[in-house]
């Protein structure tokens, strides 16, 4: 299957923080891949901006190094790289000062799409937004892209929304959650809403429970100081896991349109019940496999920040009453694996006397590695000797289904940046969604802070704290293996 590439309009894209880690690891390699795919028009320009003094050629050299580091050798070639680098420019700009803004104003064209990517610390978002408008740089159709974290609680998210709203309309603000850019996540919507098969069963009458797992093998490493102020709840659940939950739980939108989709997601977040403390397990990893434990990376030897969290979440609406959603995410776990597993209920009556081997139907949506979906179904075990049942997967691996072209499927950042240029906000979080997510998250965090709960230690390389197993066992269920 050939992956179609639909060109975008000419644009000027400014990457604030263009010399930073995210820009070098994700944004520029992603733009290069889109360039190779022929999606970036000849008139497009990409302008890096940061305080450091560099000329265009030095900056191009830095980005060439990043591409050599972060794009596999087989996927790059000197000709396309040379042509791509000619699209890059650099302006030294201080987000908090006056340096560089006049030059940026002179550089930006008014007759092409203008996009400004804020790949800088969130504390600078307001400064940049203010200067883009006070210097008359951003046109009325300009778009701004803001990175996570979007606030650390409801109050700070509201304040950030209010600051951005002073300078840009909601329709111009693209809040990135890169999970929404993943191919499988969008496929989830295609599977749910482009097939008649699933939607009639997509409710608590037929679905026993849903598990959402985002497991990482890496620890906090050099980011201990940042992570200590965040933790797994703020860093992963409030945004990424919440977005996945919304896509599973939302009602069918009337159209695949940004506000229609985001209205439905918002309704899910508002229907989430508060989570009692007995439905939460927090953990902190210990040293193992030659690497230090969480506390050794933290600046605070008494840190109570969680590197793991598991929660049982209830949605109070007609569709989901009685179907728990179990969420878990953590660092230094057994394997790097992200998946959503939807477990269906038992058939109301079994006609097979010997139902040995019977297992529930499970729809597994795998985000990484091996993006794809499979549906576990029961069949007859082959051969004579009566009716014995066995479970097999109906498999849809994207790599297999698309063949070698699967390599050309854009990664999350590539897709999202192209969506910004196209002006499509469907896969970006709206301000009210982010605030609703914090409104649900805040009391959970306040609860454990008030009780001074300590996270439970867990061994690195395992599937997390023992109590997380109990969270499921006491309901007669179990987590899927992390692998
Ligand atoms: P970083 O490596 O620290 O880079 C920060 C960038 O901002 C540098 O280019 C820096 O260059 C520039 N900068 C700092 N102060 C500035 C100022 N006053 N005016 C203009 N430019 C300034 O940070 P990062 O890891 O790339 O993260 C950037 C954003 O993405 C953050 O919001 C982060 O939370 C988010 N994010 C990062 C990742 C990741 O994997 N790195 C993942 C998700 C989200 P100068 O010092 O030369 O100015």
């Amino acid at each position: 299957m050939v992956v179609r590439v639909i060109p975008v309009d000419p644009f000027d894209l400014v990457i604030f923080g263009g010399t930073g880690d995210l820009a070098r690891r994700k944004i520029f390699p992603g733009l290069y891949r889109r360039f190779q795919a022929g999606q970036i028009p000849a008139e497009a320009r990409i302008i890096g901006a940061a305080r450091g003094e560099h000329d265009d050629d030095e900056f191009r050299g830095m980005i060439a190094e990043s591409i050599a580091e972060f794009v596999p050798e087989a996927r790059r070639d000197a000709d396309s790289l040379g042509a791509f680098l000619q699209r890059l420019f650099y302006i030294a700009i201080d987000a908090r000062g006056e340096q560089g803004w006049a030059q940026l104003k002179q550089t930006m064209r008014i007759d092409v799409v203008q996009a400004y990517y804020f790949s800088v610390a969130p504390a600078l978002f307001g400064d940049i937004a203010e200067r883009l408008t006070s210097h008359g740089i951003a046109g009325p159709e300009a778009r701004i892209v803001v990175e996570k974290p979007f606030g650390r609680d409801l109050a700070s998210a509201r304040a950030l929304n209010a600051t951005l709203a002073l300078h840009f309309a909601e329709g111009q603000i693209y809040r990135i959650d890169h999970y929404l850019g993943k191919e499988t996540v969008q496929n989830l919507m295609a599977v749910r809403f482009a097939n008649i098969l699933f939607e009639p069963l997509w409710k608590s009458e037929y679905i026993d429970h849903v598990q959402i797992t985002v497991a990482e093998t890496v620890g906090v490493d050099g980011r201990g100081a940042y992570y200590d102020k965040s933790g797994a709840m703020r860093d992963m659940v409030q945004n990424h896991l919440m977005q996945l939950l919304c896509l599973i739980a939302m009602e069918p939108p009337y159209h695949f349109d940004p506000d229609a989709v985001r209205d439905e997601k918002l309704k899910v977040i508002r229907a989430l019940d508060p989570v009692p403390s007995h439905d939460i397990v927090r953990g902190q990893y210990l040293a193992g496999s030659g690497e230090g434990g969480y506390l050794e990376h933290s600046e605070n030897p008494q840190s109570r920040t969680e590197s793991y969290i598991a929660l049982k979440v209830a949605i109070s609406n007609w569709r989901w009453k009685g179907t728990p959603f179990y969420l878990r995410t953590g660092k230094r776990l057994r394997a790097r694996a992200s998946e959503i597993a939807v477990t269906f209920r038992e058939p109301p009556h079994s006609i097979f006397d010997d139902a040995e081997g019977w297992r529930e139907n499970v729809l597994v949506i795998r985000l990484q590695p091996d993006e794809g979906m499979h549906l576990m179904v029961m069949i007859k075990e082959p051969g004579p000797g009566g009716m014995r049942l066995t479970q097999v997967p109906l498999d849809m691996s994207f790599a297999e289904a698309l063949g070698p072209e699967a390599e050309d499927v854009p990664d999350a950042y590539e897709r999202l940046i192209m969506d910004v240029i196209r002006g499509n906000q469907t896969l970006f979080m709206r301000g009210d969604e982010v605030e609703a997510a914090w409104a649900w998250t805040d009391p959970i965090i306040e609860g454990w802070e008030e009780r001074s709960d300590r996270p439970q230690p867990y061994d690195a390389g395992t599937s997390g704290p023992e109590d997380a197993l109990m969270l499921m066992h006491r309901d007669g269920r179990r987590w899927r293996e992390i692998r």
Side-chain angles (χ1 to χ4, degrees), residues 62 74 81 84 95 102 144 160 250 258 268 315 362 399 426 483:
M62 284 165 64
L81 182 59
F84 173 70
I144 62 168
L160 190 48
M250 72 183 184
V268 173
I315 305 175
V362 186
T426 311
R483 60 194 154 112

Side-chain angles (χ1 to χ4, degrees), residues 197-217:
L197 275 182
F198 295 104
E199 211 43 34
L201 303 180
W202 211 254
K203 51 175 116 167
S204 63
E205 206 179 336
Y206 300 108
I207 293 182
D208 178 72
H209 74 280
V210 176
Q211 296 184 24
I212 303 180
T213 301
V214 177
E216 298 178 290
T217 49

Side-chain angles (χ1 to χ4, degrees), residues 157-170:
R158 268 192 185 143
L160 190 48
N161 273 335
T163 304
L164 296 180
L166 291 174
H167 310 289
F168 292 94
E170 181 60 36

Side-chain angles (χ1 to χ4, degrees), residues 98-412:
E98 288 312 305
Q99 181 201 4
W101 294 99
Q103 189 186 346
L104 183 62
K105 183 175 166 66
Q106 273 178 1
T107 305
M108 296 304 285
R109 296 170 291 177
I110 49 167
D111 54 348
V112 298
V113 172
Q114 288 186 0
Y116 300 93
Y117 196 131
F118 295 9
S119 181
V120 293
L124 299 177
F125 292 172
D127 297 292
I128 297 177
E130 191 271 314
R131 281 164 177 76
L132 283 174
T133 48
S134 66
H135 288 270
I137 300 171
E141 303 286 314
R143 289 136 210 188
I144 62 168
V145 184
V146 291
E147 261 299 336
K148 83 169 216 192
F150 199 91
R152 67 182 311 278
D153 53 20
L154 177 58
S156 54
R158 268 192 185 143
L160 190 48
N161 273 335
T163 304
L164 296 180
L166 291 174
H167 310 289
F168 292 94
E170 181 60 36
Q172 298 178 282
I173 305 172
Y174 291 70
R175 296 174 193 78
I176 286 226
D177 186 322
H178 71 274
Y179 270 60
L180 289 178
K182 288 177 187 284
E183 186 72 11
T184 328
V185 173
Q186 292 169 74
N187 236 318
L188 179 57
M189 284 191 273
V191 165
R192 275 195 66 190
F193 303 129
N195 297 288
I196 191 70
L197 275 182
F198 295 104
E199 211 43 34
L201 303 180
W202 211 254
K203 51 175 116 167
S204 63
E205 206 179 336
Y206 300 108
I207 293 182
D208 178 72
H209 74 280
V210 176
Q211 296 184 24
I212 303 180
T213 301
V214 177
E216 298 178 290
T217 49
V218 292
V220 293
D221 303 327
R223 298 198 311 142
Y226 157 79
Y227 198 84
D228 238 3
K229 296 192 192 74
S230 170
M233 186 73 184
R234 287 190 171 98
D235 195 43
M236 299 296 291
V237 176
Q238 184 274 344
N239 39 46
H240 307 317
L241 277 81
M242 173 77 77
Q243 290 295 322
L244 299 180
L245 179 147
C246 284
L247 294 179
I248 293 281
M250 72 183 184
E251 297 298 316
Y254 72 89
H255 191 246
F256 191 56
D257 150 285
D259 277 326
V261 170
R262 296 181 303 173
D263 285 347
E264 297 306 336
K265 288 198 294 164
L266 178 62
K267 285 185 211 161
V268 173
I269 303 173
R270 290 193 172 145
L272 296 176
D273 282 352
V275 184
S277 60
H278 59 262
D279 285 342
I280 304 170
V281 177
R282 296 164 67 237
Q284 201 179 63
Y285 65 83
L286 297 166
S289 326
E291 282 195 42
Y294 182 85
L295 290 178
E296 285 151 71
H297 292 283
S298 167
E299 287 175 355
N300 171 9
Q302 305 292 324
S303 172
R304 292 182 178 185
T305 301
E306 76 285 355
S307 61
Y308 174 98
I309 188 163
L311 310 130
K312 178 181 172 185
V313 176
I315 305 175
S316 274
N317 63 18
W318 274 42
R319 189 186 279 265
W320 294 115
K321 195 76 188 170
T323 296
F325 283 62
Y326 297 93
L327 316 184
R328 66 178 162 165
T329 181
K331 295 195 176 292
R332 297 284 281 136
L333 296 178
R334 174 173 294 145
R336 175 171 176 263
S338 301
E339 64 167 39
I340 304 167
V342 178
T343 301
F344 291 84
R345 293 193 192 278
E346 281 182 43
H349 166 69
S350 172
I351 64 164
F352 303 109
D353 292 337
D354 180 8
E356 198 186 322
W358 183 86
R359 304 274 300 276
E360 307 96 338
N361 297 129
V362 186
L363 176 67
V364 181
I365 300 128
R366 186 131 180 127
L367 283 90
Q368 65 191 22
D370 314 324
E371 280 197 64
M373 299 194 191
H374 58 256
L375 178 63
M376 304 302 293
V377 292
M378 297 310 299
I379 61 161
K380 178 187 168 301
E381 199 176 285
M387 176 66 86
R388 289 185 309 275
L389 301 175
T390 189
Q391 197 178 42
V392 293
L394 288 181
D395 228 325
M396 194 178 79
S397 149
F398 294 153
E400 277 172 32
L402 293 169
E405 313 295 343
E407 295 250 336
D408 291 331
V409 171
D411 90 354

